[in-house]
Amino acid sequence: MKNWMSQCMPCKSSAVKAGDWRALTGLLLLALGLVTLAGGQTEKSAARPDLTGTIRDLANHPISNATVSIYAAWSKDVEGIESRSTDDCRKHTTTDANGRFIIKGLDTNALFQILFTDKGFRPMFYWRIDPAAKALDVTIEPLSSGTRPEEQVHGRVVGPDGKPVSGALIKVIGGHREKGWQLPVWHDIDYLVFTDDSGEFVIHGQSNFISCDLTVEASGFAPSGEQSEVSTGNIVHEFRLTKGAYLKGRLLKYGKPVANAGIGISGIKADWMNGNFSVVTDGEGRFSFENIPPDRDYYLFGIMRSLKDRGALPLRHVQVGKAGSIQDVGDLNLEPAFTVSGTVRLSDGQPAPAGSIITLCRTVMTPPSNGESPQSEDSNRSFYGLEDDLDNWVIRGIGKDARFQFSGVPAGSVSIFIMVPPGFHLSSRNASADTVGWRLLGRVVANKTDLVFELERGQQQGKPAPVDYQALSQKLLRGAE
């Protein structure tokens, strides 16, 4: 997908007559950036910024020939939505003899995730970097030193033709040791590694570990999804990537393009590490997902926190075909959206604890195929495929008045989750209470601006009563108001 910022349009001007030196002089000054353009900017001031900096090791020595890549981007106009489909995300460079680097001409309206890599060193991410700010001073650490088979995972990444894939990125999610699963792992296991020219990689640990969970991704291929319990030892594990599929469309409101809107997709019954992707519409309202896992069904939706008062794009089911296929969903039109707002309070009338986190998301219920829910579903309904919670909008640290507001909410079932310090529980006076899931679950069909999310002090007594989730999701969303 093209950059979020509109590209400069050719200037429309009348032909310059022979001998009209004033017009020629004006064009020359404009080209040199010495004449102010409409809006008070000059061509020079509107230039796209360069990303600059220096990479050093722990001894403060500059590192030459290290690779610097734009990995992901966020639009400054769209809150918290990551995209890897912008033109800038294909840019990279290497450091010079003094460890310096420059990537020229980046989007003025974006923040970037930068990836720094060099052989023998741990890859490192820098997040939400503004290239117009100061130059970066980057220090990278050596890889873990484990050399015994019990401290290493060996692997090889190949494409659909069986040929090695060099430069593939391996992300370690967690490690397994005798004491159990370890998360995070970055202090003693290499959590990011790349394949060499033979498609091979080695994950080192500083001490023995049994296995690790990982994902594999590479330019031009669909990401692998979670690969569980990849064992240590001398065995070389092979991971075969496939070519991805493409999904595109255009977002409109009253027939006009909607720019800077987040569009999300979520794989139906997909693994949690390989099912969610987002992009941002360009100036013409177009969006494009590139190299997503093929032969899969997805939910497609407009991301609420990016649309807000502009409207809502209802959830829709789309099918993506085989590798290399292009699915065009055409023009999608925004529909009216609603506002859900209210307060979080205690049963004694006091406001919620400071620092509480509240999240609203769309909820899709999926009854089990055999008509019976697994007994352990209460712990994680999403894990058992009984529901999907999509398009999370998180408000961190609600204020002293404990008020919250979500706009751009589409008609349909939603969940409102809350995280509070220990010592509180969800009040059963909330009409939409799911006391097992620490949430309100209900349906939105109009503005709801008087919602009261009530908590009680102390620990919940006894086991929560069973919940008919399907029925609750279809009732109007209500709290303790």
Side-chain angles (χ1 to χ4, degrees), residues 22-275:
R22 289 172 299 179
L24 290 172
T25 301
L27 289 174
L28 177 61
L29 292 174
L30 179 62
L32 293 174
L34 300 177
V35 174
T36 301
L37 301 172
Q41 288 188 323
T42 66
E43 185 69 19
K44 185 174 181 180
S45 67
R48 293 160 63 90
D50 300 334
L51 177 73
T52 61
T54 304
I55 303 180
R56 297 180 175 88
D57 61 19
L58 292 177
N60 206 34
H61 300 138
I63 300 176
S64 61
N65 294 316
T67 301
V68 182
S69 306
I70 305 295
Y71 183 79
W74 295 265
S75 171
K76 293 178 181 177
D77 291 333
V78 186
E79 178 187 351
I81 298 175
E82 175 187 319
S83 176
R84 300 182 193 175
S85 297
T86 68
D87 292 339
D88 284 338
C89 291
R90 300 174 180 86
K91 295 182 178 180
H92 58 87
T93 189
T94 56
T95 55
D96 63 16
N98 295 310
R100 293 190 294 258
F101 62 86
I102 181 170
I103 297 180
K104 296 184 176 182
L106 297 177
D107 193 341
T108 58
N109 201 40
L111 303 174
F112 297 97
Q113 183 180 357
I114 316 299
L115 177 61
F116 305 95
T117 60
D118 191 44
K119 187 175 182 179
F121 291 87
R122 283 189 170 191
M124 177 175 290
F125 281 125
Y126 271 35
W127 299 78
R128 306 184 73 82
I129 298 301
D130 187 344
K134 64 180 182 180
L136 299 178
D137 191 2
V138 180
T139 301
I140 57 177
E141 301 176 356
L143 290 168
S144 298
S145 56
T147 57
R148 296 181 295 112
E150 298 83 2
E151 300 171 327
Q152 297 180 340
V153 168
H154 294 262
R156 183 171 183 263
V157 180
V158 299
D161 56 2
K163 294 182 179 179
V165 176
S166 64
L169 176 61
I170 317 300
K171 294 182 179 179
V172 177
I173 306 165
H176 298 263
R177 287 192 160 99
E178 291 183 358
K179 294 182 179 179
W181 196 62
Q182 174 188 345
L183 180 72
V185 299
W186 50 75
H187 63 283
D188 63 351
I189 297 177
D190 296 332
Y191 63 97
L192 295 173
V193 297
F194 280 87
T195 57
D196 59 19
D197 292 340
S198 300
E200 297 184 352
F201 67 88
V202 181
I203 298 169
H204 300 265
Q206 294 179 5
S207 60
N208 291 6
F209 63 105
I210 299 170
S211 64
C212 63
D213 301 341
L214 56 84
T215 63
V216 183
E217 59 185 68
S219 178
F221 298 92
S224 69
E226 182 179 359
Q227 308 296 310
S228 300
E229 298 187 20
V230 182
S231 61
T232 55
N234 293 320
I235 184 173
V236 178
H237 303 274
E238 184 172 282
F239 303 93
R240 186 176 293 263
L241 299 180
T242 63
K243 292 291 184 180
Y246 298 79
L247 176 65
K248 65 179 183 178
R250 187 171 65 148
L251 186 62
L252 303 175
K253 181 177 182 179
Y254 303 132
K256 296 182 179 180
V258 179
N260 288 323
I263 304 294
I265 59 173
S266 180
I268 299 176
K269 295 187 176 180
D271 74 71
W272 67 284
M273 288 298 299
N274 196 32

Side-chain angles (χ1 to χ4, degrees), residues 248-298:
K248 65 179 183 178
R250 187 171 65 148
L251 186 62
L252 303 175
K253 181 177 182 179
Y254 303 132
K256 296 182 179 180
V258 179
N260 288 323
I263 304 294
I265 59 173
S266 180
I268 299 176
K269 295 187 176 180
D271 74 71
W272 67 284
M273 288 298 299
N274 196 32
N276 299 295
F277 306 92
S278 60
V279 294
V280 177
T281 58
D282 65 12
E284 299 300 320
R286 294 185 295 264
F287 61 88
S288 176
F289 294 89
E290 303 175 358
N291 286 311
I292 59 177
D295 297 311
R296 182 176 293 184
D297 292 355
Y298 291 88

Side-chain angles (χ1 to χ4, degrees), residues 343-345 349-355 397-403:
T343 59
V344 182
R345 74 178 186 199
Q350 296 298 310
I398 56 178
K400 292 182 178 179
D401 60 358
R403 292 199 59 81

Side-chain angles (χ1 to χ4, degrees), residues 194-448:
F194 280 87
T195 57
D196 59 19
D197 292 340
S198 300
E200 297 184 352
F201 67 88
V202 181
I203 298 169
H204 300 265
Q206 294 179 5
S207 60
N208 291 6
F209 63 105
I210 299 170
S211 64
C212 63
D213 301 341
L214 56 84
T215 63
V216 183
E217 59 185 68
S219 178
F221 298 92
S224 69
E226 182 179 359
Q227 308 296 310
S228 300
E229 298 187 20
V230 182
S231 61
T232 55
N234 293 320
I235 184 173
V236 178
H237 303 274
E238 184 172 282
F239 303 93
R240 186 176 293 263
L241 299 180
T242 63
K243 292 291 184 180
Y246 298 79
L247 176 65
K248 65 179 183 178
R250 187 171 65 148
L251 186 62
L252 303 175
K253 181 177 182 179
Y254 303 132
K256 296 182 179 180
V258 179
N260 288 323
I263 304 294
I265 59 173
S266 180
I268 299 176
K269 295 187 176 180
D271 74 71
W272 67 284
M273 288 298 299
N274 196 32
N276 299 295
F277 306 92
S278 60
V279 294
V280 177
T281 58
D282 65 12
E284 299 300 320
R286 294 185 295 264
F287 61 88
S288 176
F289 294 89
E290 303 175 358
N291 286 311
I292 59 177
D295 297 311
R296 182 176 293 184
D297 292 355
Y298 291 88
Y299 293 119
L300 183 147
F301 49 89
I303 297 176
M304 291 180 286
R305 64 182 182 272
S306 72
L307 289 167
K308 296 183 178 178
D309 296 335
R310 292 188 285 180
L313 182 63
L315 196 72
R316 65 191 65 220
H317 185 163
V318 297
Q319 292 181 311
V320 170
K322 62 183 181 180
S325 65
I326 301 175
Q327 174 70 26
D328 190 345
V329 297
D331 291 343
L332 306 178
N333 290 280
L334 291 180
E335 297 183 3
F338 305 111
T339 296
V340 175
S341 61
T343 59
V344 182
R345 74 178 186 199
L346 303 180
S347 57
D348 59 11
Q350 296 298 310
S356 298
I357 299 174
I358 189 165
T359 301
L360 183 143
C361 60
R362 311 181 194 220
T363 297
V364 182
M365 311 303 294
T366 307
S369 57
N370 60 3
E372 296 182 1
S373 301
Q375 293 182 354
S376 55
E377 69 156 278
D378 290 346
S379 62
N380 192 335
R381 288 176 52 78
S382 297
F383 178 83
Y384 290 102
L386 299 174
E387 68 177 65
D388 289 292
D389 295 316
L390 315 168
D391 193 11
N392 294 356
W393 185 348
V394 181
I395 298 177
R396 301 181 184 277
I398 56 178
K400 292 182 178 179
D401 60 358
R403 292 199 59 81
F404 61 86
Q405 177 172 310
F406 301 97
S407 55
V409 180
S413 298
V414 301
S415 294
I416 302 180
F417 295 88
I418 191 165
M419 292 181 63
V420 295
F424 301 91
H425 66 276
L426 189 63
S427 171
S428 59
R429 287 178 11 97
N430 295 294
S432 297
D434 168 15
T435 54
V436 176
W438 273 83
R439 63 173 170 175
L440 304 184
L441 171 62
R443 190 169 183 82
V444 173
V445 297
N447 291 333
K448 176 67 174 173

Side-chain angles (χ1 to χ4, degrees), residues 446-469:
N447 291 333
K448 176 67 174 173
T449 57
D450 62 346
L451 188 66
V452 175
F453 199 135
E454 187 174 273
L455 304 173
E456 295 184 9
R457 298 181 188 275
Q459 299 298 320
Q460 183 169 317
Q461 300 299 313
K463 186 176 180 180
V467 178
D468 185 340
Y469 293 99

